[in-house]
């Protein structure tokens, strides 16, 4: 029977798997686009969101430092990606240019 792994060991494994900033950024963007972007662009435009790529959780705030502080408080060993939330561009008739 396998021994249960502690949180620190899991974090070490995750940090090894996501060994570069580029990989963390790509995974963070993917999670943001798939899970949060559509809703957040409607409700939080101009704010910041920190995505923890390990838990796929999001933390929104008006300032980047505030979003990072929220994320760190909830997931002290997280791997974070910061995104500025933008409203998608509109065409001249007011419809979104992004399907």
């Amino acid at each position: 029977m396998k021994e249960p792994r502690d949180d620190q060991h899991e974090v070490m494994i995750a940090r090894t798997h996501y060994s570069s900033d580029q990989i963390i950024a790509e995974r963070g963007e993917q999670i943001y686009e798939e899970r949060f972007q559509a809703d957040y662009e409607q409700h939080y435009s101009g704010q910041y969101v920190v995505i923890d790529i390990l838990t796929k959780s999001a933390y929104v705030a008006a300032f980047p430092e505030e979003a990072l502080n929220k994320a760190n408080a909830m997931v002290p060993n997280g791997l974070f990606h910061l995104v500025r939330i933008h409203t998608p561009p509109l065409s001249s008739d007011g419809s979104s240019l992004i399907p």
Side-chain angles (χ1 to χ4, degrees), residues 10-75:
E10 292 294 329
V11 169
M12 284 176 41
I13 291 170
R15 288 186 186 278
T16 301
H17 180 73
Y18 297 108
S19 59
S20 78
D21 292 342
Q22 181 178 351
I23 293 170
I24 293 169
E26 289 170 0
R27 184 70 182 122
E29 282 296 322
Q30 179 185 17
I31 293 167
Y32 175 70
E33 289 170 4
E34 291 174 359
R35 298 183 76 169
F36 303 105
Q37 185 174 13
D39 180 50
Y40 283 15
E41 285 181 349
Q42 290 182 17
H43 297 100
Y44 303 108
S45 182
Q47 295 190 45
Y48 295 85
V49 60
V50 169
I51 306 292
D52 174 24
I53 67 167
L54 301 178
T55 64
K56 299 180 182 175
S57 299
Y59 305 90
V60 177
F63 300 99
E65 299 85 358
E66 185 182 355
L68 285 165
N69 287 339
K70 284 183 178 183
N72 274 316
M74 296 301 294
V75 190

